[in-house]
Amino acid sequence: VTPATMVAAPAGGLLYSLLHLGGFPGDLQFYSRHAKQFVLELGAGDGRLAAALCDGQRRYVGIEIDPTLSAKAAARVAADGNAEVRTADFFVDELPAGVDTAILSSNVLFSTPRHAELLGRCADALAPGGVLLLDVYNALLYLQDGEPGDAAGGDDDMLVRVTDELGRDWTCFERDPTIDTERQRISQPYEFVSGGETFQETLVHNYLLPEELSRALDDLGLTVDSTAGDFDGSAFDATESEHVVVVATKR
């Protein structure tokens, strides 16, 4: 067997695209079901969700700071005259006002430690009665019993197999994370292998516990309508649910 050669992570948002290529079961249906007519998505990525939401009827504005991912997202919705994707910083740049749906999908909230500020920007953009839709992972599962528990480097921690846009097959392994409970930070290494090539990247997430998220939303004038443990609406269980899927309405 030829040993894999370590290479630099390919440019062009491959890391993001590989991790999000298949999404989570039912996530597109969840967001399509709950999104209203004027949608603002912060952290639009490469447009996987945008493509599902842009049906020619909704107005859609996506905000993505990475220019390569933003270009991919824009290309996906180019045929919809009611859709636009902006290469912008959602903390700094002007956001549309009076939207009736704001979306933070696929752990976007955990991409920054500035949780209250990001949620506040969503609340400011929403019209009264508008909804905030978001999903994050349940950080409690990382904290209980030292999970996740597979030995780094083994095949048991394979996360997903995907094919990229160039037709290359990749296997993604999720290695053991480093957890800083004081700072509420998780550094999660990933290893990607394709034929004789491999690259590694570490994503740093700044987590909120479920009850902290609920309090933060309430403080910003958002009433939590539902907190589910998955995109099918199943009840959230703090000790078992992998996801925290929230629908909240601006008071």
Side-chain angles (χ1 to χ4, degrees), residues 166-180:
L166 299 179
R168 296 171 297 184
D169 293 323
W170 292 89
T171 302
C172 173
F173 298 91
E174 188 176 61
R175 303 310 190 189
D176 282 354
T178 300
I179 303 173
D180 183 339

Side-chain angles (χ1 to χ4, degrees), residues 44-135:
D46 64 2
R48 189 183 72 90
L49 177 55
L53 293 175
C54 294
D55 56 3
Q57 304 299 316
R58 293 187 180 99
R59 181 182 175 191
Y60 171 90
V61 177
I63 306 295
E64 173 55 50
I65 195 170
D66 182 274
T68 301
L69 292 175
S70 178
K72 289 182 177 181
R76 278 182 151 170
V77 300
D80 190 332
N82 295 321
E84 65 172 306
V85 178
R86 303 176 185 174
T87 305
D89 184 333
F90 50 55
F91 283 120
V92 176
D93 295 303
E94 183 178 0
L95 301 178
V99 306
D100 57 25
T101 309
I103 293 177
L104 299 170
S105 71
S106 302
N107 304 310
V108 166
L109 181 61
F110 287 178
S111 68
T112 173
R114 298 157 65 181
H115 304 120
E117 187 177 353
L118 177 51
L119 293 171
R121 296 227 76 191
C122 292
D124 289 344
L126 283 168
V131 295
L132 171 63
L133 310 175
L134 68 86
D135 71 273

Side-chain angles (χ1 to χ4, degrees), residues 2 21 27 42 68 71 84 87 109 128-129 153 158 160 167 184 188 190 192 198 202 207 219-220 224 226:
T2 303
L21 193 62
D27 63 349
L42 302 184
T68 301
E84 65 172 306
T87 305
L109 181 61
M158 186 186 75
V160 67
Q184 295 195 191
Q188 179 64 69
Y190 295 93
F192 297 85
T198 181
T202 298
Y207 65 84
D219 289 344
L220 291 164
V224 176
S226 64

